[in-house]
């Protein structure tokens, strides 16, 4: 039997994708935009488990590729690996500690770096670009922006603890 939480996590994707494709480009800084999908992927990867995060990353990536018309499979593999990596922090003993502390923003940074690096690898069309500049421009800056948005979300989380 499918749990309602599983269906909610997939249904939550659609409004987040709508915000990601319509509103988020308006807050771009020098063509660098945060990835809201990775934030909810990290949340569900930590709150459920690693396998769930991996499968959800696959579903989110597949739906993102199909709906936005991007290169089929690029976002899918990036979000799958990001969900798998974020799922490492899903242990029953420390789950609440990761979700309500500032560690969440660091986990989002790590997962976003993985996601953005893989996407940058697939989306770079010029082979003359320096790989270091490619990493900085298309992976590090969006990851920092995404983790900053996640950190802002932690401020409004009701059970937040300072330490």
């Amino acid at each position: 039997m499918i749990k309602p939480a599983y269906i909610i996590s997939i249904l939550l994707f659609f409004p987040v994708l709508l915000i990601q494709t319509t509103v988020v480009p308006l807050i771009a800084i020098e063509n660098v935009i945060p990835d809201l999908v990775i934030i909810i992927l990290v949340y569900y990867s930590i709150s459920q488990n690693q396998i769930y995060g991996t499968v959800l990353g696959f579903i989110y990536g597949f739906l993102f590729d199909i709906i936005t018309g991007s290169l089929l499979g690029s976002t899918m593999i990036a979000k799958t690996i990001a969900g798998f990596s974020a799922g490492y922090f899903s242990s029953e003993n420390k789950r609440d500690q990761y979700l309500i502390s500032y560690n969440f923003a660091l986990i989002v940074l790590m997962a976003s770096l993985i996601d953005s690096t893989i996407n940058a690898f697939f989306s770079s069309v010029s082979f003359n670009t320096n790989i270091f500049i490619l990493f900085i421009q298309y992976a590090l800056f969006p990851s920092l922006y995404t983790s900053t948005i996640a950190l802002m979300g932690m401020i409004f989380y009701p059970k937040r603890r300072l330490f």
Side-chain angles (χ1 to χ4, degrees):
M1 176 122 187
I2 297 176
K3 293 182 182 179
Y6 295 166
I7 295 172
I8 291 171
S9 65
I10 294 173
L11 290 178
L12 183 63
F13 170 77
F14 295 105
V16 170
L17 180 66
L18 183 65
I19 293 169
Q20 178 74 37
T21 56
T22 57
V23 177
V24 171
L26 299 175
I27 61 170
I29 301 173
E30 296 290 324
N31 294 328
V32 174
I33 60 171
D35 188 359
L36 301 180
V37 175
I38 203 78
I39 295 173
I40 62 169
L41 176 62
V42 168
Y43 173 78
Y44 281 113
S45 295
I46 294 172
S47 65
Q48 299 296 323
N49 59 37
Q50 189 175 25
I51 294 172
Y52 182 76
T54 305
V55 172
L56 190 65
F58 177 83
I59 293 169
Y60 281 179
F62 179 71
L63 290 173
F64 189 90
D65 284 340
I66 294 294
I67 293 170
T68 62
S70 62
L71 178 64
L72 188 61
S74 62
T75 309
M76 186 172 56
I77 193 166
K79 297 246 185 282
T80 302
I81 295 171
F84 177 79
S85 302
Y88 273 118
F89 298 96
S90 176
S91 70
E92 291 184 23
N93 299 337
K94 295 187 176 187
R95 189 172 290 156
D96 291 334
Q97 179 184 353
Y98 289 135
L99 288 175
I100 61 176
S101 70
Y102 295 111
N103 293 334
F104 181 73
L106 293 174
I107 298 168
V108 168
L109 176 66
M110 183 235 12
S112 183
L113 263 174
I114 292 169
D115 179 60
S116 298
T117 303
I118 294 171
N119 273 331
F121 175 74
F122 282 115
S123 65
S124 69
V125 291
S126 174
F127 293 108
N128 297 333
T129 307
N130 186 350
I131 195 160
F132 183 71
I133 294 172
L134 186 73
F135 175 76
I136 296 290
Q137 187 175 11
Y138 293 108
L140 185 62
F141 288 157
S143 299
L144 288 172
Y145 199 2
T146 302
S147 64
T148 303
I149 297 294
L151 192 60
M152 290 173 155
M154 292 305 299
I155 293 172
F156 299 109
Y157 195 76
K159 295 181 183 176
R160 185 179 68 85
R161 291 184 292 226
L162 292 176
F163 299 103

